């Protein structure tokens, strides 16, 4: 069975956390390839360790704190959440997008 590749936008919020819980339990059917959040670098670091995504996005401040956690690896493409969400939403590696982002921040990735 070919795994569906999933991007979880807002991975550190309630929707994202619950979606990742389901995806973890069904990891034989789904692969998390992208995680995005605003600034919860500590939880994002845990999620990166667990799911090993190819892409991740955090705010500029969040990225600075994430770099201090030591979870970053060469194969992880990091982008700034302020501008990079559409890029992640439209990569060819993604089959399914879970959009758990609120307000106008959801518009650009939704349209992408």
């Amino acid at each position: 069975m070919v795994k569906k590749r999933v991007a979880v936008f807002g991975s550190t919020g309630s929707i994202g956390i619950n979606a990742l819980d389901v995806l973890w339990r069904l990891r034989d059917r789904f692969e998390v390839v992208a995680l995005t959040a605003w600034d919860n670098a500590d939880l994002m670091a845990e999620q990166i360790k667990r799911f090993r995504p190819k892409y991740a996005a955090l705010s500029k401040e969040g990225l600075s704190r994430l770099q201090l956690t030591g979870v970053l690896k060469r194969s992880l493409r990091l982008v700034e959440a302020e501008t990079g969400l559409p890029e992640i939403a439209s990569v060819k590696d993604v089959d399914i997008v879970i959009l758990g982002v609120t307000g106008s921040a959801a518009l650009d990735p939704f349209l992408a």
Side-chain angles (χ1 to χ4, degrees), residues 17-81:
I17 290 170
N18 286 300
L20 288 173
D21 182 46
V22 171
L23 293 168
W24 180 253
R25 284 187 262 143
L26 299 173
R27 61 189 174 273
D28 59 321
R29 293 162 51 184
F30 297 96
E31 175 188 3
V32 175
V33 296
L35 297 169
T36 78
W38 185 248
D39 66 356
N40 192 338
D42 294 333
L43 182 52
M44 175 67 85
E46 291 175 28
Q47 293 173 344
I48 289 171
K49 286 179 190 175
R50 184 176 211 182
F51 291 97
R52 295 185 178 112
K54 294 179 182 178
Y55 308 93
L58 274 168
S59 67
K60 286 181 187 178
E61 182 180 317
L63 285 173
S64 296
R65 288 196 319 270
L66 184 65
Q67 290 172 338
L68 298 175
T69 66
V71 301
L72 302 182
K73 56 184 181 177
R74 290 184 182 144
S75 60
L76 178 65
R77 168 110 167 88
L78 279 172
V79 298
E80 292 178 5

Side-chain angles (χ1 to χ4, degrees), residues 79-111:
V79 298
E80 292 178 5
E82 293 88 346
T83 58
L85 298 185
E87 174 187 344
I88 290 177
S90 60
V91 295
K92 293 178 183 171
D93 290 1
V94 175
D95 300 312
I96 300 168
V97 173
I98 297 173
L99 195 54
V101 178
T102 61
S104 61
L107 187 58
D108 287 338
F110 174 77
L111 293 174

